């Protein structure tokens, strides 16, 4: 995993380790002893430092850490794993998976106290996924796709009450099957929506049901 600040990688001798490097021997160090095999290593920069998340193989254990690239400057901040993440309003908003295997919208400023759930979506990550996080015109957009859900488009202003699903009225009347490729262009949000009747189509949204077509 590579961020603007760090290269992160795993190593194994008689145990598993997570290392950070800034590109030289002097700036390469073990930062986390994960007590198991780390998988799905994720990282994102925040305020000049780096968030690191991973899961332990063959268990539900997830960990979210904050690091400056040194062992002394690395600390665990939550029992959470990151599925997808984006920087928004000075924080990192992310699809967080906890040790109860729930997938919800979280935000963090890089501290334990500043890591909070924004919206309890109660999505089991084994059957549904929250991803495509994208900032557009001061709002956070993301999608949820899964069995029994189809595909949903959500918008958030970073608060619980301001996080809402955008109702999508397809031509066929069927729920969307997939929503992908969220892209900002000329002050508009475009995305690709696919349903079982019309296949893949290009849609546009201003963050409201009326303005999503």
């Amino acid at each position: 995993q590579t961020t603007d600040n760090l290269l992160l990688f795993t190593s194994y001798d008689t145990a598993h380790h997570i290392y950070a490097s800034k590109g030289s021997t002097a700036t390469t160090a073990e930062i986390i002893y994960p007590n198991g095999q780390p998988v799905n290593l994720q990282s994102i920069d925040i305020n000049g430092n780096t968030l690191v998340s991973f899961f332990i193989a063959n268990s539900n254990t997830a960990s979210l850490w904050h690091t400056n690239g040194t062992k002394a400057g690395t600390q665990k901040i939550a029992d959470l794993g990151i599925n997808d993440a984006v920087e928004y309003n000075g924080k990192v908003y992310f699809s967080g998976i906890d040790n109860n295997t729930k997938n919800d919208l979280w935000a963090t400023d890089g501290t334990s106290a500043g890591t909070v759930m924004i919206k309890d979506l109660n999505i089991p990550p084994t059957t549904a996924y929250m991803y495509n996080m994208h900032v557009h015109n001061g709002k956070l957009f993301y999608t949820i796709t899964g069995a029994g859900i189809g595909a949903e488009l959500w918008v958030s202003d970073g608060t619980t009450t301001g996080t809402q699903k955008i109702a999508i009225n397809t031509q066929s009347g069927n729920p969307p099957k997939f929503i992908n490729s969220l892209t900002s262009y000329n002050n508009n949000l475009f995305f690709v929506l696919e349903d079982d009747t019309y296949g893949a189509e290009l849609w546009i949204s201003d963050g409201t049901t009326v303005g999503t077509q």
Side-chain angles (χ1 to χ4, degrees), residues 52-72:
V52 182
S53 90
F54 58 88
F55 297 84
I56 298 300
N58 303 315
S59 77
N60 289 330
T61 305
S63 293
L64 180 64
W65 298 67
H66 179 263
T67 184
N68 63 3
T70 68
K71 193 174 184 73

Side-chain angles (χ1 to χ4, degrees), residues 77-89:
I77 59 176
D79 292 323
L80 288 168
I82 292 177
N83 185 44
D84 194 13
V86 68
E87 190 169 0
Y88 173 58
N89 285 347

Side-chain angles (χ1 to χ4, degrees), residues 54-128:
F54 58 88
F55 297 84
I56 298 300
N58 303 315
S59 77
N60 289 330
T61 305
S63 293
L64 180 64
W65 298 67
H66 179 263
T67 184
N68 63 3
T70 68
K71 193 174 184 73
T74 301
Q75 59 181 354
K76 183 178 178 180
I77 59 176
D79 292 323
L80 288 168
I82 292 177
N83 185 44
D84 194 13
V86 68
E87 190 169 0
Y88 173 58
N89 285 347
K91 298 181 179 180
V92 169
Y93 284 73
F94 61 97
S95 168
I97 302 175
D98 64 16
N99 289 337
N100 294 317
T101 65
K102 284 176 52 186
N103 194 343
D104 299 300
L105 179 63
W106 288 75
T108 183
D109 62 2
T111 67
S112 295
T115 302
V116 296
M117 183 190 296
I118 302 300
K119 188 78 169 183
D120 184 355
L121 301 170
N122 200 24
I123 307 169
T126 54
T127 58

Side-chain angles (χ1 to χ4, degrees), residues 16-193:
H16 293 276
H17 310 270
I18 297 176
Y19 281 79
S21 177
K22 295 183 180 180
S24 69
T25 301
T27 60
T28 300
E30 178 192 0
I31 58 170
I32 301 171
Y33 177 74
N35 195 28
Q37 180 184 356
V39 294
N40 196 23
L41 185 66
Q42 302 285 334
S43 59
I44 186 171
D45 291 333
I46 177 172
N47 300 327
N49 290 308
T50 300
L51 292 177
V52 182
S53 90
F54 58 88
F55 297 84
I56 298 300
N58 303 315
S59 77
N60 289 330
T61 305
S63 293
L64 180 64
W65 298 67
H66 179 263
T67 184
N68 63 3
T70 68
K71 193 174 184 73
T74 301
Q75 59 181 354
K76 183 178 178 180
I77 59 176
D79 292 323
L80 288 168
I82 292 177
N83 185 44
D84 194 13
V86 68
E87 190 169 0
Y88 173 58
N89 285 347
K91 298 181 179 180
V92 169
Y93 284 73
F94 61 97
S95 168
I97 302 175
D98 64 16
N99 289 337
N100 294 317
T101 65
K102 284 176 52 186
N103 194 343
D104 299 300
L105 179 63
W106 288 75
T108 183
D109 62 2
T111 67
S112 295
T115 302
V116 296
M117 183 190 296
I118 302 300
K119 188 78 169 183
D120 184 355
L121 301 170
N122 200 24
I123 307 169
T126 54
T127 58
Y129 302 91
M130 174 183 166
Y131 59 111
N132 287 323
M133 304 192 79
H134 182 80
V135 176
H136 172 76
N137 277 358
K139 294 182 179 179
L140 171 63
F141 290 81
Y142 60 91
T143 63
I144 298 173
T145 303
I149 297 175
E152 299 175 345
L153 179 64
W154 285 68
V155 63
S156 177
D157 63 1
T159 68
T160 300
T161 56
T163 302
Q164 304 291 333
K165 180 173 72 174
I166 300 171
I168 295 178
N169 300 312
T170 63
Q171 295 182 66
S172 64
N174 298 323
K177 187 176 180 180
F178 295 108
I179 298 174
N180 285 302
S181 303
L182 275 63
T183 304
S184 298
Y185 180 70
N186 276 355
N187 215 34
N188 293 310
L189 177 70
F190 293 87
F191 60 93
V192 175
L193 180 148

